[in-house]
Amino acid sequence: MKFSSIGFSTIVLSVLTFSCVERINIELDDSYTRLIVDGAITTDTTAHTVMLSSTTSYYYNQVIPPVTGALLTLTDGTVEYSMNEDAPGIYRTNSSVYGVPGKTYTLKIKLAEPIGGYVDYEASSILYPVNTLDSVSLAFHPDWSDDGIWEVKCYVQDPPTEDFYRFLISKNSDMLTDTLDEWFVTDYRFFNGNYAYGAPIAYLQQHKDDEVLLTGDTVKVEMNSIGSGYANFIWEAQTEAGGSNPLFSGPPANVKGNISNGAFGFFSAYSATRAYTIVPDSI
Amino acid sequence: MKEIFAALIFLAGLNLVSVGNCCSAQVLPKKVTISGYVSDSDNGEMLAGVTIYENTLKTGTSTNAYGFYSLTIPAGNYNLQYSYIGYQTLSQKGVIEKDITMNISIKSAETTLGEVIVEGKRTDENVRSTEMSLVKLDIKTIRMVPSLLGEVDLIKVLQLLPGVQPTSEGATGFSVRGGSADQNLIILDEATVYNASHLMGFFSVFNNDAVKNVTLYKGDIPAAYGGRLSSLLDVQMKDGNSKKTGFSGSIGTISSKLTVEGPVKKDRTTYLIAGRRTYADLFLPFAKDKNVRDNKLYFYDLNLKLSHVINDKNRLYLSGYFGRDVFKNPFSSIGFGNQTASVRWNHLFSQKLFFNLSLIYSRYNYQIGTPEDEPTSFVWNSKLGDYSARFDFTHYLSGNHKLRYGATTMYHQFNPGSVHGTGTNSIYSDFVLPPEYALDHSLYISDDYKVTGNFSVKYGLRLSAFQNIGPATIYSYDTEYSPVDSTVYGKNKIFNTYVSLEPRIAFTYILNDISSVKGSYSHTVQYITLAQNSTAGTPLDIWFPATPNVRPQVSDQLSAGYFRNFRQNMYEVSGELYYKTIGNLIDFRDHAQLFLNQYLESELRIGRGYAYGIEALVRKDEGRFTGWISYTWSRSFRIIPEINYGNRYCSPYDKPHSLNIVTNFEISKRISASATWIYATGLPVTFPTGRAVVGNAIIPIYSNRNDYRMPDYHRLDLSVTFKGRADKKWHDELNLSVYNVYNRHNAWAINFVRDANDPNVTYAEKTYLFAIIPALTYNVKF
């Protein structure tokens, strides 16, 4: 839980009440190209995906170029899983693979051609266990914003260890949190070992088309225990993808991942638990 | 360094010998002492820094912070001249045979404006004083500058002088000679003000109606003060009118003020009560975003002062400040503010020995909360407070020596933060960062020594000590900054002490009646630091002490200057050069977590910094046309092994060029107009030089730190003041000010955002805070 973000948003709201924005031309230099790795292994039994691409100039303004023809292997120390390139830059295990909590997974990448001066890249992640998400609930706040806000709450026991969680929300079959900046990531510090009874994990703003909930809709919550490395990666990436201002923002800085040889991105291993609820008659 | 100490000690020794000689060999001409207080004839306010000059002997002195002076001269004729900026010079002649007390009151030049112009000799303090790298402002000057929303702010006026820069647009946080905002010691009647800003920094905590004068020391900080690297901002509150009860007030676009002051007992006891309340939230109903229309957003502050003359030898001053900011919206609320109190007792041991004892309390706190009684409700508190005592002697040894010596001790308590769930069935367990305690002591001595008529030197030494006291848990960290071990210290156990010697030396060599050269060296030490990672800072930033893991920051500064007055001191011109270095400089790691972090020390990265610059100022304080032009060229850099790959980078306050033109013209007796134009190089920033896509989000890949710059900043402000018909009792005026007249959209922040229609497209977007803003203020005094 980032209490500071609540404080900040209150202050920013009050300052930005008086401010305005406009487009501006800023010329930027180009940095060298780096490999980007975006992949995970989870406790689900499914085809686990790793995406490879490469960095571009900041104003590239096109779909990011995939990195094709690489050889990828995934291992838990004893078993090695092969990965096949299903689509350009998208590498998958076969669909019977599942991760086991407590194991350390290592991803090895051998590129067809060097990027950033390297052909070989590697990353490891421990797969953290997660307690079962007992239930989720919804509460409607008609006065919080235009057309009201649905607050999504979760009910789960936090273990007395250092845990980091990510929550993903979907409505019926649509993933609402489909980009990294929408993921809700929180840590254990403020309810360590407590039963998180109705902890808020999402606020669905009813003036946004894709977040509108209608009676009978299913709201599904996926909770992942992700470990501190991946949590910090997401927080840093969210900070850098979002805006900055002279009041709260530290100097912009590159996001730190867990891939060797200066590649960008993260290979994570996490466990997943899910619960759902049906939207009641509102108000 | 060592050589400087040696020289200083040698000089001090030599000096004592010479003092000894003059005191024992007083057989020739008998010496007598004239001493007393200098005050304003209209309101009885004591005046600090008034020059007292003996015309025949060509010697002199000046009043101290409490308006006291003492001058020892040979018995016989005397011809004294009392001069002070903005006041008529007063001459006193006569014959003196024994020690006398001369309490003097001088008349403000303003009261004679438009009547008979007294061509008194203007003060050449600028050229003569041993002080350099210093900025003095009186309230009259501050008031003439056009302001944002009609709320004239003394810190914003300081930012128009050379070497002083705002930390961001509209901010009252300021950088002195490339230093960061927490390197400024800000004191209000001796009490430290830890956060001098209101309303996200757009206003300072200082209410002009309660302020007597303001002095900013940019380099040569007096030995009596320490604890910050860059500057001392000394704000003195008015004592209150000792002649008659008066009211003054104003109704403005954003705030209203009311001040009451007067004698409880004429010329003996006076009081001052000044209050101010803003109503920025009045504008919220007009906001574009209707969700903020019900928000609350305001601040208020209260200044209190009581001054009492017990008898000829004893005076007592009580000062208090209380201020609070409040923001509220449906989800959360924030309150923050400073409280300070000081009690000061002045005692004259003799005509030559002035003593002051101060007892001081200062506190800053904030609280953030959410609506009550939800399982998710919480309250987050943080505060720091200190209690201190200090005594200071001013010892007027002879016409040639003015000694100041004293001691201070301070007890700090830091409560960096705690979070408690407030609702029933709270989901939060209590989270409390342990409090930290420290003691801060100092001993100092300095001598203002007129070696010859043309050469004077001011040298001093400050011995400071900082002690951490238990209970405390100090962590030790590995090379990756992970905590590996901890040591627990018991209650009241002093477990760490830092001691520093801080020499300060300055000289003035008067070339002729109108020009002088000056130089200074100072060493300063800072034991507490603000955990602030952004350029402008927030009210939530916390102060943390030096500990066994965090060594105090140190700075050495050399300055040299040339001072010259033209046209009988009508124009003051000065140029200064400075170079300073900072050791044990604290910066923060990338993506540092500075809030509610038990391992805050692991977020620090230590290195060094240096800054240099040239400052030029032309100032005209008298006549119908007044104002100044200031230009600063300066650079400021940091080198920290674990930041920016160890390469040098521009400090966040590196602003090479800065030009300020401030003018005021008295069109007629009742109308005056002011204009201010500001130009500054854009602040250094870090921009993306590449992009990555992860989780469908575009993540920037950045340049080296601070490799780019914001667009240059410039702005014109205008104001016109209409005075009401002059009346003995009732003075009123209407002030119309326009901020940012040509409506330049100066960038406050530049962000790179994704196009809403095409998620692959990114563009740069600037946020600007203030377009053209007119404001109207009505002031009244009776």
Side-chain angles (χ1 to χ4, degrees):
Chain A
M1 184 68 197
K2 298 235 149 178
F3 285 95
S4 51
S5 63
I6 290 180
F8 287 178
S9 57
T10 308
I11 291 169
V12 164
L13 262 178
S14 51
V15 171
L16 297 188
T17 303
F18 302 102
S19 73
C20 300
V21 292
E22 66 184 33
R23 280 197 188 210
I24 181 175
N25 272 329
I26 300 275
E27 282 187 24
L28 298 173
D29 298 327
D30 289 344
S31 181
Y32 68 94
T33 305
R34 299 156 172 88
L35 174 70
I36 307 169
V37 181
D38 182 8
I41 176 156
T42 73
T43 48
D44 294 339
T45 306
T46 183
H48 302 275
T49 308
V50 172
M51 287 190 281
L52 298 187
S53 54
S54 62
T55 62
T56 61
S57 67
Y58 188 72
Y59 293 131
Y60 183 67
N61 293 353
Q62 295 168 48
V63 175
I64 202 103
V67 171
T68 58
L71 291 173
L72 274 70
T73 53
L74 179 61
T75 154
D76 64 4
T78 46
V79 186
E80 192 169 293
Y81 308 96
S82 63
M83 300 192 81
N84 299 314
E85 190 171 3
D86 283 6
I90 297 177
Y91 301 80
R92 290 200 172 98
T93 63
N94 72 50
S95 57
S96 62
V97 176
Y98 59 91
V100 178
K103 284 194 172 177
T104 300
Y105 290 87
T106 302
L107 174 73
K108 287 183 181 166
I109 300 165
K110 195 177 242 341
L111 299 182
E113 282 173 24
I115 295 178
Y118 296 95
V119 174
D120 292 298
Y121 291 88
E122 193 177 311
S124 291
S125 270
I126 298 171
L127 200 153
Y128 291 91
V130 69
N131 279 353
T132 305
L133 180 59
D134 293 333
S135 63
V136 291
S137 72
L138 291 166
F140 188 66
H141 300 279
D143 332 318
W144 290 10
S145 163
D146 300 349
D147 307 325
I149 282 181
W150 279 102
E151 184 183 13
V152 184
K153 300 171 168 205
C154 76
Y155 300 81
V156 64
Q157 176 67 47
D158 179 67
T161 44
E162 294 188 6
D163 302 283
F164 294 82
Y165 303 109
R166 178 181 67 173
F167 293 89
L168 303 175
I169 317 289
S170 45
K171 179 181 85 175
N172 303 329
S173 59
D174 298 340
M175 178 61 86
L176 293 180
T177 49
D178 58 354
T179 65
L180 176 144
D181 20 336
E182 295 169 317
W183 299 345
F184 176 60
V185 176
T186 186
D187 66 13
Y188 66 100
R189 272 192 297 170
F190 303 103
F191 41 101
N192 193 19
N194 278 14
Y195 191 84
Y197 187 88
I201 50 164
Y203 297 96
L204 303 177
Q205 303 184 40
Q206 298 305 291
H207 65 270
K208 291 188 178 171
D209 288 345
D210 61 334
E211 296 184 10
V212 169
L213 296 187
L214 301 173
T215 305
D217 282 347
T218 304
V219 173
K220 193 164 81 178
V221 173
E222 175 181 333
M223 174 176 167
N224 307 125
S225 176
I226 58 175
S228 66
Y230 193 39
N232 281 313
F233 175 82
I234 297 169
W235 280 328
E236 291 182 11
Q238 288 178 338
T239 304
E240 299 309 338
S244 69
N245 66 67
L247 293 175
F248 305 110
S249 310
N254 285 328
V255 177
K256 209 173 131 195
N258 68 342
I259 321 289
S260 64
N261 290 337
F264 189 91
F266 211 93
F267 167 68
S268 60
Y270 57 81
S271 44
T273 171
R274 295 176 179 87
Y276 68 90
T277 184
I278 308 288
V279 179
D281 288 336
S282 69
I283 322 165
Chain B
M1 201 57 202
K2 274 208 176 105
E3 295 86 282
I4 291 162
F5 283 139
L8 206 77
I9 288 160
F10 176 71
L11 217 56
L14 201 70
N15 188 31
L16 288 176
V17 172
S18 67
V19 169
N21 285 342
C22 80
C23 294
S24 58
Q26 291 289 318
V27 266
L28 295 163
K30 185 186 161 196
K31 291 220 171 184
V32 290
T33 301
I34 302 172
S35 66
Y37 289 86
V38 182
S39 60
D40 179 306
S41 63
D42 290 332
N43 57 24
E45 289 282 343
M46 293 300 156
L47 300 172
V50 177
T51 311
I52 297 105
Y53 193 66
E54 216 299 330
N55 278 319
T56 328
L57 297 165
K58 301 212 179 299
T59 182
T61 186
S62 58
T63 55
N64 70 7
Y66 301 92
F68 178 78
Y69 73 99
S70 170
L71 187 66
T72 300
I73 53 170
N77 290 321
Y78 68 88
N79 177 4
L80 293 180
Q81 184 176 290
Y82 296 79
S83 52
Y84 191 51
I85 291 176
Y87 283 78
Q88 297 172 38
T89 299
L90 184 96
S91 292
Q92 290 280 323
K93 287 179 193 171
V95 182
I96 176 175
E97 293 303 332
K98 58 179 188 349
D99 293 354
I100 55 163
T101 301
M102 279 211 300
N103 291 333
I104 298 292
S105 50
I106 56 176
K107 233 175 155 48
S108 164
E110 197 179 36
T111 53
T112 59
L113 194 85
E115 296 164 22
V116 188
I117 306 286
V118 182
E119 264 314 319
K121 192 178 170 232
R122 291 184 191 89
T123 175
D124 56 358
E125 180 70 7
N126 182 44
V127 167
R128 294 202 159 266
S129 82
T130 44
E131 284 165 329
M132 67 179 300
S133 308
L134 147 133
V135 170
K136 273 186 192 168
L137 284 177
D138 52 57
I139 284 300
K140 211 179 91 191
T141 312
I142 292 167
R143 281 188 199 285
M144 94 188 189
V145 177
S147 57
L148 171 63
L149 292 162
E151 185 67 29
V152 185
D153 199 293
L154 65 91
I155 290 186
K156 292 204 184 156
V157 179
L158 285 172
Q159 291 168 351
L160 300 172
L161 288 153
V164 190
Q165 296 287 345
T167 51
S168 82
E169 154 116 69
T172 50
F174 59 98
S175 160
V176 174
R177 291 184 167 176
S180 49
D182 73 336
Q183 294 171 359
N184 307 318
L185 176 64
I186 301 175
I187 54 173
L188 176 65
D189 277 0
E190 301 283 348
T192 308
V193 177
Y194 281 96
N195 177 1
S197 70
H198 274 311
L199 206 68
M200 303 346 304
F202 299 129
F203 300 97
S204 83
V205 299
F206 303 111
N207 175 350
N208 291 328
D209 289 354
V211 170
K212 181 152 72 178
N213 55 36
V214 183
T215 313
L216 176 71
Y217 297 86
K218 297 183 290 185
D220 180 27
I221 298 174
Y225 297 94
R228 299 292 186 280
L229 297 184
S230 287
S231 79
L232 163 68
L233 176 63
D234 182 2
V235 180
Q236 288 190 314
M237 265 164 68
K238 281 184 186 170
D239 301 325
N241 196 323
S242 64
K243 308 289 181 195
K244 62 175 176 39
T245 301
F247 295 86
S248 59
S250 71
I251 297 171
T253 312
I254 191 162
S255 74
S256 283
K257 294 188 278 192
L258 181 67
T259 304
V260 189
E261 55 180 321
V264 176
K265 200 173 164 198
K266 200 170 177 227
D267 291 329
R268 267 232 177 294
T269 311
T270 61
Y271 69 93
L272 173 121
I273 302 168
R276 173 168 69 152
R277 164 75 154 88
T278 60
Y279 26 78
D281 40 3
L282 280 187
F283 295 98
L284 294 178
F286 306 110
K288 279 177 300 208
D289 180 355
K290 75 173 205 232
N291 299 311
V292 305
R293 289 178 193 168
D294 296 327
N295 291 2
K296 284 199 165 53
L297 172 64
Y298 63 87
F299 71 79
Y300 58 89
D301 51 26
L302 195 63
N303 286 277
L304 303 166
K305 180 108 174 222
L306 195 66
S307 314
H308 179 57
V309 180
I310 302 166
N311 53 37
D312 287 352
K313 292 206 156 62
N314 294 288
R315 288 167 189 237
L316 197 65
Y317 300 90
L318 290 137
S319 319
Y321 169 84
F322 183 85
R324 197 95 192 138
D325 278 62
V326 176
F327 303 96
K328 248 189 193 143
N329 64 26
F331 323 99
S332 60
S333 63
I334 298 185
F336 64 90
N338 295 280
Q339 299 97 52
T340 71
S342 56
V343 181
R344 290 175 294 166
W345 169 46
N346 289 175
H347 175 71
L348 285 178
F349 280 105
S350 75
Q351 280 198 302
K352 293 181 177 183
L353 186 57
F354 178 94
F355 169 76
N356 172 65
L357 174 74
S358 305
L359 300 172
I360 306 153
Y361 168 70
S362 176
R363 181 179 124 110
Y364 176 73
N365 77 325
Y366 62 79
Q367 184 175 67
I368 297 175
T370 52
E372 300 236 333
D373 218 25
E374 296 274 333
T376 54
S377 298
F378 70 87
V379 56
W380 166 17
N381 279 300
S382 171
K383 69 176 183 209
L384 95 161
D386 47 55
Y387 297 88
S388 58
R390 67 178 296 149
F391 66 83
D392 306 273
F393 284 97
T394 317
H395 202 157
Y396 299 83
L397 277 178
S398 70
N400 294 338
H401 290 275
K402 187 164 108 181
L403 279 186
R404 292 185 66 186
Y405 45 89
T408 65
T409 187
M410 186 183 274
Y411 171 76
H412 291 285
Q413 184 180 344
F414 303 87
N415 290 78
S418 63
V419 178
H420 304 282
T422 50
T424 41
N425 300 321
S426 178
I427 59 168
Y428 303 120
S429 36
D430 283 358
F431 179 86
V432 181
L433 290 178
E436 293 172 278
Y437 307 91
L439 291 169
D440 199 336
H441 317 280
S442 65
L443 278 171
Y444 72 90
I445 180 161
S446 76
D447 180 17
D448 211 336
Y449 176 32
K450 274 199 176 55
V451 184
T452 68
N454 290 336
F455 182 64
S456 25
V457 56
K458 190 176 74 173
Y459 56 100
L461 191 61
R462 180 179 173 86
L463 174 69
S464 60
F466 188 84
Q467 299 183 302
N468 298 92
I469 43 182
T473 304
I474 297 295
Y475 298 93
S476 53
Y477 299 92
D478 62 16
T479 50
E480 300 290 304
Y481 296 94
S482 299
V484 286
D485 200 2
S486 67
T487 315
V488 178
Y489 298 98
K491 200 175 176 207
N492 296 330
K493 161 96 183 152
I494 294 176
F495 61 89
N496 178 50
T497 302
Y498 287 110
V499 179
S500 309
L501 265 179
E502 305 174 42
R504 317 267 168 92
I505 183 160
F507 76 87
T508 300
Y509 185 74
I510 297 168
L511 299 169
N512 51 44
D513 272 357
I514 55 164
S515 63
S516 64
V517 286
K518 302 184 189 186
S520 74
Y521 163 78
S522 69
H523 179 77
T524 46
V525 181
Q526 180 157 349
Y527 298 105
I528 66 171
T529 307
L530 190 63
Q532 178 191 311
N533 202 13
S534 61
T535 49
T538 78
L540 312 184
D541 297 335
I542 56 163
W543 290 85
F544 61 93
T547 66
N549 289 325
V550 184
R551 288 198 290 161
Q553 301 184 84
V554 293
S555 178
D556 290 280
Q557 180 171 181
L558 277 169
S559 315
Y562 176 71
F563 297 74
R564 184 182 170 120
N565 291 356
F566 291 93
R567 303 265 313 266
Q568 279 106 41
N569 301 329
M570 172 99 81
Y571 295 93
E572 289 180 9
V573 177
S574 62
E576 289 193 30
L577 285 163
Y578 68 87
Y579 179 81
K580 67 175 171 184
T581 60
I582 297 176
N584 303 331
L585 174 74
I586 294 174
D587 206 331
F588 303 92
R589 74 168 178 95
D590 290 348
H591 300 110
Q593 300 297 326
L594 303 182
F595 295 101
L596 300 172
N597 185 352
Q598 194 174 351
Y599 307 115
L600 179 65
E601 291 179 346
S602 70
E603 308 285 306
L604 313 183
R605 297 294 179 269
I606 312 298
R608 63 193 175 88
Y610 63 97
Y612 50 85
I614 299 173
E615 299 167 352
L617 178 69
V618 180
R619 186 168 172 168
K620 182 172 179 285
D621 276 329
E622 288 173 46
R624 285 174 73 188
F625 188 78
T626 57
W628 68 82
I629 299 172
S630 87
Y631 170 74
T632 310
W633 174 79
S634 62
R635 300 305 312 266
S636 175
F637 298 101
R638 293 178 180 177
I639 301 158
I640 294 179
E642 291 151 293
I643 292 178
N644 200 35
Y645 313 102
N647 296 321
R648 179 183 92 158
Y649 59 97
C650 295
S651 119
Y653 308 105
D654 176 60
K655 247 188 214 180
H657 299 281
S658 165
L659 177 69
N660 301 302
I661 301 172
V662 179
T663 57
N664 176 265
F665 185 64
E666 300 228 2
I667 297 167
S668 73
K669 265 167 76 176
R670 288 177 46 197
I671 304 173
S672 69
S674 299
T676 303
W677 189 69
I678 296 164
Y679 168 83
T681 315
L683 284 172
V685 282
T686 311
F687 279 156
T689 54
R691 72 154 70 157
V693 175
V694 169
N696 291 326
I698 294 177
I699 317 290
I701 309 273
Y702 287 106
S703 67
N704 289 330
R705 188 179 281 202
N706 291 343
D707 253 10
Y708 288 80
R709 282 197 183 269
M710 301 279 272
D712 287 353
Y713 183 96
H714 53 91
R715 192 185 85 220
L716 175 72
D717 304 337
L718 294 175
S719 76
V720 189
T721 305
F722 305 92
K723 285 198 173 103
R725 202 165 288 282
D727 182 308
K728 272 236 157 6
K729 284 186 179 149
W730 180 275
H731 299 271
D732 62 348
E733 60 180 38
L734 190 66
N735 175 277
L736 170 70
S737 64
V738 183
Y739 184 88
N740 196 7
V741 173
Y742 54 83
N743 194 21
R744 180 175 161 85
H745 297 167
N746 283 302
W748 179 64
I750 290 179
N751 283 301
F752 294 86
V753 294
R754 247 172 138 156
D755 193 298
N757 303 315
D758 183 350
N760 288 319
V761 173
T762 49
Y763 61 90
E765 181 184 86
K766 76 173 167 191
T767 305
Y768 62 95
L769 291 181
F770 305 111
I772 179 168
I773 300 181
L776 208 56
T777 309
Y778 177 71
N779 296 306
V780 63
K781 197 172 169 181
F782 57 90

